[in-house]
Amino acid sequence: MFPRDTGLLVGKVLQGETRTLARVLSMVENGDPLSESIMHDIYDPARRSLTVGVTGPPGAGKSTLTCRLIGYWRGSGRKVGVIAVDPSSPFSGGALLGDRVRMQEHASDPGVFIRSMGSRGHLGGLAGSTRDALELLAAAGYDPVIVETVGVGQAEVEVASLADITLLVLVPGMGDEVQTMKAGIMEIGDIIVLNKADRQGIDQLESSVMASLELLPEGSHRPPVVRCSSLTGDGIEELTGEMDGLLSGILDRDSLVRRRTTLILESILREKGRHMAARVVEARFGSIERAVDLILDGKTTPYGIGVLLSEEHASKAGD
Ligand SMILES: Nc1nc2c(ncn2[C@@H]2O[C@H](COP(=O)(O)OP(=O)(O)O)[C@@H](O)[C@H]2O)c(=O)[nH]1
Ligand SMILES: [Mg+2]
């Protein structure tokens, strides 16, 4: 029935074969009908790979910072994956050329895999493509996988929330913008990075960030704030130290795995039409939490549930 051997594709991705990985990423991005079954086979809730979101306004230095982070993790011999998300460019060519050039120093390193993603034909849009790409790179052995997202709008918040930890990158000169930022945007940052600390205005930026963190509701998470210059490298060590501390401390493994699985399942439910999907999941599994339990037990995957929802939808449409 399958015109292409998905088992073979899955096997090669798991072996870290980069040409197959690139091909499967395109299938996912283009909404290929086989991609759901590939994702189902590849999905591993217990994967050890960490995912790191780098988000913030255009020009904040996200790509420059990403290069620094690649260098840091390559220094300890880890294979690093990068997904650059650019919503403005469905064919992900031109707009990312600058990033490509900047990341050139890493481009010839076989331990680094860089991929830019658009939404193209993916049913779940940008968030769906990125979600699946994160899983694919992790499955191929990249650890960590960094996802760089442009801007701080709704779509970016959703993409950033898929990562295990997220760095919100801010820069001098945007003090007023910080003050008008919604609390939700400040909250997506597990760490707030004040980049371009070599520039004037860094003190004002820090003051306005601190002031807006004060406005967060009582008891909400107050992220650490770290100054750095991705250009000179100053403060990068403090940042990576802060990240390592966060990873070893706050995030215990079981809750990390559960959080990740729930987010992926919810993202797929959104893709399939939230209300109908949630009803079907409740009818079949009792609750979303129970469905997550089954996924964590290895009985199904969020993608397997997605296929179920599509079938349900098709049979409804056929009535
Ligand atoms: N002065 C200074 N410039 C920086 C710093 N980080 C990045 N830049 C510059 O800011 C510009 C935009 O950086 P880029 O990484 O492309 O930003 P992105 O759009 O957020 O990915 C480039 O010209 C960088 O060289 C920094 O820490 N200090
Ligand atoms: Mg960039």
Side-chain angles (χ1 to χ4, degrees):
M1 207 41 219
F2 288 136
R4 287 159 287 174
D5 187 341
T6 56
L8 196 68
L9 293 175
V10 168
K12 288 193 168 181
V13 168
L14 295 176
Q15 283 162 23
E17 215 265 304
T18 50
R19 273 180 50 207
T20 307
L21 175 62
R23 182 166 160 215
V24 172
L25 282 165
S26 297
M27 290 171 74
V28 159
E29 192 177 23
N30 294 330
D32 188 293
L34 293 182
S35 56
E36 215 164 27
S37 126
I38 293 176
M39 291 309 300
H40 173 70
D41 289 341
I42 251 165
Y43 186 74
D44 173 11
R47 67 167 160 80
R48 314 243 16 136
S49 283
L50 181 80
T51 57
V52 178
V54 178
T55 194
K62 299 178 297 298
S63 297
T64 314
L65 176 60
T66 297
C67 285
R68 289 278 173 196
L69 295 177
I70 295 172
Y72 169 72
W73 281 308
R74 286 302 290 146
S76 51
R78 295 168 74 165
K79 278 173 71 180
V80 184
V82 179
I83 300 165
V85 178
D86 188 358
S88 64
S89 160
F91 302 104
S92 55
L96 283 165
L97 214 58
D99 290 346
R100 280 271 170 76
V101 171
R102 204 163 308 115
M103 290 184 190
Q104 207 65 53
E105 55 170 312
H106 298 295
S108 56
D109 177 350
V112 179
F113 185 92
I114 300 171
R115 170 73 183 219
S116 49
M117 292 293 283
S119 54
R120 297 198 208 176
H122 198 291
L123 184 62
L126 209 51
S129 308
T130 311
R131 176 196 69 216
D132 297 352
L134 282 171
E135 295 307 313
L136 284 166
L137 264 65
Y142 295 94
D143 179 20
V145 183
I146 304 171
V147 54
E148 176 188 334
T149 64
V150 185
V152 283
Q154 190 50 49
E156 293 75 39
V157 170
E158 195 187 330
V159 169
S161 71
L162 288 167
D164 296 325
I165 61 168
T166 301
L167 311 181
L168 175 62
V169 185
L170 303 174
V171 282
M174 56 176 303
D176 293 343
E177 290 158 55
V178 167
Q179 269 148 20
T180 57
M181 271 185 186
K182 297 203 179 70
I185 286 168
M186 297 300 272
E187 275 176 303
I188 66 164
D190 294 298
I191 299 177
I192 296 184
V193 180
L194 309 181
N195 192 36
K196 307 200 183 181
D198 55 290
R199 288 245 181 116
Q200 281 191 346
I202 191 75
D203 294 328
Q204 292 95 304
L205 174 67
E206 182 157 8
S207 312
S208 41
V209 166
M210 290 309 183
S212 57
L213 289 178
E214 285 301 312
L215 299 176
L216 289 178
E218 192 82 24
S220 53
H221 160 73
R222 299 257 149 103
V225 178
V226 182
R227 284 187 186 202
C228 73
S229 168
S230 301
L231 196 67
T232 65
D234 282 345
I236 297 294
E237 232 178 282
E238 285 81 346
L239 175 60
T240 53
E242 201 67 64
M243 290 172 72
D244 290 341
L246 198 71
L247 292 169
S248 59
I250 302 171
L251 302 171
D252 83 275
R253 233 197 110 69
D254 287 350
S255 66
L256 179 73
V257 166
R258 175 165 284 273
R259 174 184 176 272
R260 193 190 264 170
T261 306
T262 307
L263 283 170
I264 292 172
L265 180 59
E266 282 173 350
S267 163
I268 288 173
L269 296 188
R270 263 197 300 281
E271 194 170 300
K272 302 287 178 183
R274 191 181 244 310
H275 291 298
M276 182 281 291
R279 266 205 308 279
V280 174
V281 167
E282 273 156 32
R284 285 277 181 121
F285 303 101
S287 65
I288 299 210
E289 291 71 34
R290 185 72 196 109
V292 169
D293 289 339
L294 290 175
I295 295 167
L296 297 182
D297 284 347
K299 303 279 197 310
T300 184
T301 72
Y303 298 92
I305 293 177
V307 170
L308 195 81
L309 293 168
S310 300
E311 287 167 2
E312 202 90 6
H313 201 74
S315 75
K316 281 258 165 59
D319 284 348

mmCIF file of all heavy atoms in Angstrom, residues 236-270:
data_model
loop_
_atom_site.group_PDB
_atom_site.id
_atom_site.type_symbol
_atom_site.label_atom_id
_atom_site.label_comp_id
_atom_site.label_asym_id
_atom_site.label_seq_id
_atom_site.Cartn_x
_atom_site.Cartn_y
_atom_site.Cartn_z
ATOM 1 N N ILE A 236 28.194 34.880 28.209
ATOM 2 C CA ILE A 236 27.657 33.618 27.685
ATOM 3 C C ILE A 236 27.853 32.489 28.701
ATOM 4 O O ILE A 236 26.985 31.635 28.880
ATOM 5 C CB ILE A 236 28.307 33.254 26.317
ATOM 6 C CG1 ILE A 236 27.971 34.313 25.270
ATOM 7 C CG2 ILE A 236 27.880 31.873 25.844
ATOM 8 C CD1 ILE A 236 26.495 34.399 24.882
ATOM 9 N N GLU A 237 29.002 32.539 29.389
ATOM 10 C CA GLU A 237 29.252 31.517 30.400
ATOM 11 C C GLU A 237 28.219 31.576 31.526
ATOM 12 O O GLU A 237 27.748 30.545 31.992
ATOM 13 C CB GLU A 237 30.649 31.738 30.987
ATOM 14 C CG GLU A 237 31.498 30.490 30.963
ATOM 15 C CD GLU A 237 32.885 30.773 31.514
ATOM 16 O OE1 GLU A 237 33.689 31.348 30.757
ATOM 17 O OE2 GLU A 237 33.126 30.447 32.693
ATOM 18 N N GLU A 238 27.876 32.793 31.933
ATOM 19 C CA GLU A 238 26.857 32.955 32.974
ATOM 20 C C GLU A 238 25.525 32.396 32.471
ATOM 21 O O GLU A 238 24.802 31.725 33.206
ATOM 22 C CB GLU A 238 26.661 34.430 33.339
ATOM 23 C CG GLU A 238 27.774 35.030 34.191
ATOM 24 C CD GLU A 238 29.006 35.460 33.396
ATOM 25 O OE1 GLU A 238 29.135 35.070 32.200
ATOM 26 O OE2 GLU A 238 29.846 36.180 33.959
ATOM 27 N N LEU A 239 25.225 32.669 31.221
ATOM 28 C CA LEU A 239 23.970 32.193 30.645
ATOM 29 C C LEU A 239 23.917 30.663 30.603
ATOM 30 O O LEU A 239 22.932 30.058 31.031
ATOM 31 C CB LEU A 239 23.781 32.767 29.235
ATOM 32 C CG LEU A 239 22.564 32.250 28.462
ATOM 33 C CD1 LEU A 239 21.262 32.555 29.193
ATOM 34 C CD2 LEU A 239 22.525 32.832 27.049
ATOM 35 N N THR A 240 24.990 30.050 30.108
ATOM 36 C CA THR A 240 24.975 28.582 30.025
ATOM 37 C C THR A 240 24.957 27.985 31.430
ATOM 38 O O THR A 240 24.320 26.954 31.657
ATOM 39 C CB THR A 240 26.173 28.039 29.209
ATOM 40 O OG1 THR A 240 27.374 28.583 29.747
ATOM 41 C CG2 THR A 240 26.049 28.413 27.744
ATOM 42 N N GLY A 241 25.619 28.656 32.375
ATOM 43 C CA GLY A 241 25.579 28.207 33.771
ATOM 44 C C GLY A 241 24.159 28.238 34.313
ATOM 45 O O GLY A 241 23.699 27.296 34.962
ATOM 46 N N GLU A 242 23.466 29.315 33.996
ATOM 47 C CA GLU A 242 22.076 29.475 34.430
ATOM 48 C C GLU A 242 21.200 28.377 33.809
ATOM 49 O O GLU A 242 20.332 27.794 34.459
ATOM 50 C CB GLU A 242 21.593 30.857 33.983
ATOM 51 C CG GLU A 242 20.407 31.431 34.715
ATOM 52 C CD GLU A 242 20.682 31.781 36.169
ATOM 53 O OE1 GLU A 242 21.516 32.667 36.456
ATOM 54 O OE2 GLU A 242 20.032 31.141 37.018
ATOM 55 N N MET A 243 21.461 28.093 32.533
ATOM 56 C CA MET A 243 20.689 27.043 31.847
ATOM 57 C C MET A 243 20.957 25.681 32.480
ATOM 58 O O MET A 243 20.025 24.915 32.732
ATOM 59 C CB MET A 243 21.064 26.992 30.360
ATOM 60 C CG MET A 243 20.576 28.199 29.592
ATOM 61 S SD MET A 243 21.212 28.222 27.907
ATOM 62 C CE MET A 243 20.268 26.905 27.199
ATOM 63 N N ASP A 244 22.224 25.372 32.728
ATOM 64 C CA ASP A 244 22.560 24.084 33.328
ATOM 65 C C ASP A 244 21.922 23.949 34.709
ATOM 66 O O ASP A 244 21.424 22.884 35.064
ATOM 67 C CB ASP A 244 24.089 23.912 33.425
ATOM 68 C CG ASP A 244 24.720 23.721 32.044
ATOM 69 O OD1 ASP A 244 23.989 23.359 31.103
ATOM 70 O OD2 ASP A 244 25.939 23.949 31.911
ATOM 71 N N GLY A 245 21.927 25.048 35.456
ATOM 72 C CA GLY A 245 21.321 25.037 36.791
ATOM 73 C C GLY A 245 19.834 24.748 36.707
ATOM 74 O O GLY A 245 19.296 23.912 37.438
ATOM 75 N N LEU A 246 19.193 25.403 35.762
ATOM 76 C CA LEU A 246 17.760 25.228 35.555
ATOM 77 C C LEU A 246 17.451 23.774 35.197
ATOM 78 O O LEU A 246 16.503 23.175 35.697
ATOM 79 C CB LEU A 246 17.322 26.148 34.420
ATOM 80 C CG LEU A 246 15.857 26.468 34.287
ATOM 81 C CD1 LEU A 246 15.439 27.379 35.422
ATOM 82 C CD2 LEU A 246 15.591 27.150 32.956
ATOM 83 N N LEU A 247 18.289 23.231 34.339
ATOM 84 C CA LEU A 247 18.050 21.876 33.851
ATOM 85 C C LEU A 247 18.244 20.837 34.939
ATOM 86 O O LEU A 247 17.491 19.884 35.033
ATOM 87 C CB LEU A 247 18.979 21.574 32.673
ATOM 88 C CG LEU A 247 18.648 22.402 31.448
ATOM 89 C CD1 LEU A 247 19.735 22.269 30.400
ATOM 90 C CD2 LEU A 247 17.313 21.967 30.880
ATOM 91 N N SER A 248 19.258 21.031 35.752
ATOM 92 C CA SER A 248 19.524 20.017 36.772
ATOM 93 C C SER A 248 18.584 20.204 37.968
ATOM 94 O O SER A 248 18.293 19.255 38.679
ATOM 95 C CB SER A 248 20.980 20.076 37.223
ATOM 96 O OG SER A 248 21.248 21.353 37.738
ATOM 97 N N GLY A 249 18.093 21.415 38.147
ATOM 98 C CA GLY A 249 17.264 21.688 39.312
ATOM 99 C C GLY A 249 15.773 21.572 39.070
ATOM 100 O O GLY A 249 15.157 20.549 39.357
ATOM 101 N N ILE A 250 15.214 22.613 38.499
ATOM 102 C CA ILE A 250 13.760 22.746 38.412
ATOM 103 C C ILE A 250 13.081 21.591 37.695
ATOM 104 O O ILE A 250 12.049 21.094 38.116
ATOM 105 C CB ILE A 250 13.379 24.057 37.679
ATOM 106 C CG1 ILE A 250 13.987 25.258 38.418
ATOM 107 C CG2 ILE A 250 11.866 24.212 37.571
ATOM 108 C CD1 ILE A 250 13.861 26.558 37.678
ATOM 109 N N LEU A 251 13.679 21.188 36.586
ATOM 110 C CA LEU A 251 12.994 20.214 35.753
ATOM 111 C C LEU A 251 13.360 18.796 36.155
ATOM 112 O O LEU A 251 14.396 18.310 35.772
ATOM 113 C CB LEU A 251 13.395 20.422 34.290
ATOM 114 C CG LEU A 251 13.124 21.804 33.690
ATOM 115 C CD1 LEU A 251 13.788 21.896 32.330
ATOM 116 C CD2 LEU A 251 11.642 22.054 33.556
ATOM 117 N N ASP A 252 12.512 18.150 36.943
ATOM 118 C CA ASP A 252 12.818 16.743 37.166
ATOM 119 C C ASP A 252 12.300 15.974 35.957
ATOM 120 O O ASP A 252 11.396 16.417 35.256
ATOM 121 C CB ASP A 252 12.262 16.236 38.504
ATOM 122 C CG ASP A 252 10.825 15.846 38.412
ATOM 123 O OD1 ASP A 252 9.975 16.745 38.542
ATOM 124 O OD2 ASP A 252 10.554 14.648 38.181
ATOM 125 N N ARG A 253 12.929 14.855 35.692
ATOM 126 C CA ARG A 253 12.725 14.181 34.422
ATOM 127 C C ARG A 253 11.288 13.747 34.157
ATOM 128 O O ARG A 253 10.763 13.954 33.070
ATOM 129 C CB ARG A 253 13.645 12.964 34.342
ATOM 130 C CG ARG A 253 14.438 13.021 33.109
ATOM 131 C CD ARG A 253 15.100 11.844 32.602
ATOM 132 N NE ARG A 253 14.445 11.394 31.387
ATOM 133 C CZ ARG A 253 14.466 12.041 30.251
ATOM 134 N NH1 ARG A 253 15.077 13.192 30.131
ATOM 135 N NH2 ARG A 253 13.858 11.549 29.201
ATOM 136 N N ASP A 254 10.656 13.177 35.167
ATOM 137 C CA ASP A 254 9.296 12.681 34.945
ATOM 138 C C ASP A 254 8.334 13.806 34.593
ATOM 139 O O ASP A 254 7.513 13.671 33.691
ATOM 140 C CB ASP A 254 8.789 11.946 36.187
ATOM 141 C CG ASP A 254 9.475 10.609 36.341
ATOM 142 O OD1 ASP A 254 10.175 10.199 35.383
ATOM 143 O OD2 ASP A 254 9.333 9.982 37.400
ATOM 144 N N SER A 255 8.473 14.933 35.289
ATOM 145 C CA SER A 255 7.537 16.024 35.005
ATOM 146 C C SER A 255 7.870 16.654 33.655
ATOM 147 O O SER A 255 6.982 17.105 32.943
ATOM 148 C CB SER A 255 7.535 17.050 36.134
ATOM 149 O OG SER A 255 8.771 17.694 36.194
ATOM 150 N N LEU A 256 9.143 16.648 33.296
ATOM 151 C CA LEU A 256 9.534 17.159 31.978
ATOM 152 C C LEU A 256 8.904 16.314 30.866
ATOM 153 O O LEU A 256 8.310 16.838 29.925
ATOM 154 C CB LEU A 256 11.066 17.130 31.842
ATOM 155 C CG LEU A 256 11.626 17.619 30.518
ATOM 156 C CD1 LEU A 256 11.494 19.117 30.412
ATOM 157 C CD2 LEU A 256 13.083 17.223 30.364
ATOM 158 N N VAL A 257 9.002 15.007 31.010
ATOM 159 C CA VAL A 257 8.471 14.088 30.001
ATOM 160 C C VAL A 257 6.946 14.212 29.913
ATOM 161 O O VAL A 257 6.373 14.243 28.832
ATOM 162 C CB VAL A 257 8.917 12.636 30.313
ATOM 163 C CG1 VAL A 257 8.126 11.627 29.508
ATOM 164 C CG2 VAL A 257 10.406 12.482 30.074
ATOM 165 N N ARG A 258 6.311 14.334 31.058
ATOM 166 C CA ARG A 258 4.851 14.474 31.066
ATOM 167 C C ARG A 258 4.417 15.804 30.443
ATOM 168 O O ARG A 258 3.493 15.858 29.649
ATOM 169 C CB ARG A 258 4.312 14.355 32.510
ATOM 170 C CG ARG A 258 2.808 14.602 32.637
ATOM 171 C CD ARG A 258 2.241 14.126 33.962
ATOM 172 N NE ARG A 258 2.110 12.677 34.000
ATOM 173 C CZ ARG A 258 1.033 12.025 33.553
ATOM 174 N NH1 ARG A 258 0.011 12.667 33.048
ATOM 175 N NH2 ARG A 258 0.983 10.715 33.608
ATOM 176 N N ARG A 259 5.101 16.863 30.783
ATOM 177 C CA ARG A 259 4.774 18.187 30.257
ATOM 178 C C ARG A 259 4.903 18.186 28.729
ATOM 179 O O ARG A 259 4.028 18.635 28.001
ATOM 180 C CB ARG A 259 5.725 19.226 30.861
ATOM 181 C CG ARG A 259 5.568 20.618 30.284
ATOM 182 C CD ARG A 259 6.619 21.579 30.855
ATOM 183 N NE ARG A 259 6.506 22.885 30.219
ATOM 184 C CZ ARG A 259 7.128 23.213 29.090
ATOM 185 N NH1 ARG A 259 7.925 22.341 28.482
ATOM 186 N NH2 ARG A 259 6.957 24.405 28.567
ATOM 187 N N ARG A 260 6.028 17.642 28.258
ATOM 188 C CA ARG A 260 6.312 17.582 26.834
ATOM 189 C C ARG A 260 5.240 16.787 26.095
ATOM 190 O O ARG A 260 4.712 17.215 25.076
ATOM 191 C CB ARG A 260 7.657 16.864 26.746
ATOM 192 C CG ARG A 260 8.362 16.897 25.476
ATOM 193 C CD ARG A 260 9.520 15.932 25.583
ATOM 194 N NE ARG A 260 10.779 16.531 25.952
ATOM 195 C CZ ARG A 260 11.861 15.808 26.289
ATOM 196 N NH1 ARG A 260 11.811 14.494 26.352
ATOM 197 N NH2 ARG A 260 12.986 16.413 26.576
ATOM 198 N N THR A 261 4.893 15.618 26.648
ATOM 199 C CA THR A 261 3.897 14.750 26.011
ATOM 200 C C THR A 261 2.531 15.432 25.960
ATOM 201 O O THR A 261 1.835 15.383 24.946
ATOM 202 C CB THR A 261 3.787 13.422 26.794
ATOM 203 O OG1 THR A 261 5.096 12.861 26.890
ATOM 204 C CG2 THR A 261 2.871 12.433 26.105
ATOM 205 N N THR A 262 2.158 16.086 27.059
ATOM 206 C CA THR A 262 0.861 16.773 27.113
ATOM 207 C C THR A 262 0.817 17.890 26.077
ATOM 208 O O THR A 262 -0.177 18.048 25.363
ATOM 209 C CB THR A 262 0.619 17.336 28.534
ATOM 210 O OG1 THR A 262 0.793 16.269 29.469
ATOM 211 C CG2 THR A 262 -0.778 17.911 28.677
ATOM 212 N N LEU A 263 1.903 18.656 25.971
ATOM 213 C CA LEU A 263 1.944 19.755 25.001
ATOM 214 C C LEU A 263 1.805 19.246 23.572
ATOM 215 O O LEU A 263 1.105 19.830 22.753
ATOM 216 C CB LEU A 263 3.261 20.532 25.131
ATOM 217 C CG LEU A 263 3.366 21.494 26.313
ATOM 218 C CD1 LEU A 263 4.793 22.003 26.453
ATOM 219 C CD2 LEU A 263 2.409 22.663 26.127
ATOM 220 N N ILE A 264 2.479 18.151 23.279
ATOM 221 C CA ILE A 264 2.417 17.600 21.925
ATOM 222 C C ILE A 264 1.003 17.093 21.636
ATOM 223 O O ILE A 264 0.439 17.373 20.577
ATOM 224 C CB ILE A 264 3.476 16.485 21.734
ATOM 225 C CG1 ILE A 264 4.874 17.114 21.779
ATOM 226 C CG2 ILE A 264 3.257 15.720 20.429
ATOM 227 C CD1 ILE A 264 6.000 16.119 21.785
ATOM 228 N N LEU A 265 0.414 16.390 22.602
ATOM 229 C CA LEU A 265 -0.945 15.892 22.404
ATOM 230 C C LEU A 265 -1.922 17.060 22.219
ATOM 231 O O LEU A 265 -2.745 17.053 21.303
ATOM 232 C CB LEU A 265 -1.367 15.001 23.576
ATOM 233 C CG LEU A 265 -2.786 14.420 23.479
ATOM 234 C CD1 LEU A 265 -2.964 13.580 22.214
ATOM 235 C CD2 LEU A 265 -3.121 13.566 24.722
ATOM 236 N N GLU A 266 -1.796 18.078 23.052
ATOM 237 C CA GLU A 266 -2.700 19.230 22.929
ATOM 238 C C GLU A 266 -2.534 19.934 21.591
ATOM 239 O O GLU A 266 -3.509 20.384 20.987
ATOM 240 C CB GLU A 266 -2.448 20.223 24.076
ATOM 241 C CG GLU A 266 -3.090 19.763 25.359
ATOM 242 C CD GLU A 266 -2.723 20.633 26.558
ATOM 243 O OE1 GLU A 266 -1.815 21.482 26.440
ATOM 244 O OE2 GLU A 266 -3.343 20.442 27.611
ATOM 245 N N SER A 267 -1.290 20.016 21.142
ATOM 246 C CA SER A 267 -1.024 20.651 19.855
ATOM 247 C C SER A 267 -1.707 19.858 18.724
ATOM 248 O O SER A 267 -2.295 20.429 17.808
ATOM 249 C CB SER A 267 0.494 20.746 19.675
ATOM 250 O OG SER A 267 0.829 20.985 18.352
ATOM 251 N N ILE A 268 -1.656 18.540 18.814
ATOM 252 C CA ILE A 268 -2.316 17.702 17.801
ATOM 253 C C ILE A 268 -3.838 17.827 17.903
ATOM 254 O O ILE A 268 -4.538 17.887 16.894
ATOM 255 C CB ILE A 268 -1.823 16.239 17.900
ATOM 256 C CG1 ILE A 268 -0.380 16.184 17.376
ATOM 257 C CG2 ILE A 268 -2.722 15.273 17.130
ATOM 258 C CD1 ILE A 268 0.328 14.877 17.532
ATOM 259 N N LEU A 269 -4.356 17.923 19.110
ATOM 260 C CA LEU A 269 -5.809 18.108 19.283
ATOM 261 C C LEU A 269 -6.259 19.416 18.633
ATOM 262 O O LEU A 269 -7.292 19.479 17.980
ATOM 263 C CB LEU A 269 -6.204 18.120 20.764
ATOM 264 C CG LEU A 269 -5.988 16.839 21.574
ATOM 265 C CD1 LEU A 269 -6.612 16.947 22.950
ATOM 266 C CD2 LEU A 269 -6.547 15.629 20.847
ATOM 267 N N ARG A 270 -5.450 20.461 18.813
ATOM 268 C CA ARG A 270 -5.774 21.761 18.189
ATOM 269 C C ARG A 270 -5.825 21.628 16.674
ATOM 270 O O ARG A 270 -6.709 22.147 16.008
ATOM 271 C CB ARG A 270 -4.709 22.794 18.540
ATOM 272 C CG ARG A 270 -5.081 23.681 19.714
ATOM 273 C CD ARG A 270 -4.225 24.923 19.760
ATOM 274 N NE ARG A 270 -2.803 24.629 19.890
ATOM 275 C CZ ARG A 270 -2.215 24.294 21.031
ATOM 276 N NH1 ARG A 270 -2.897 24.222 22.146
ATOM 277 N NH2 ARG A 270 -0.930 24.031 21.071
#
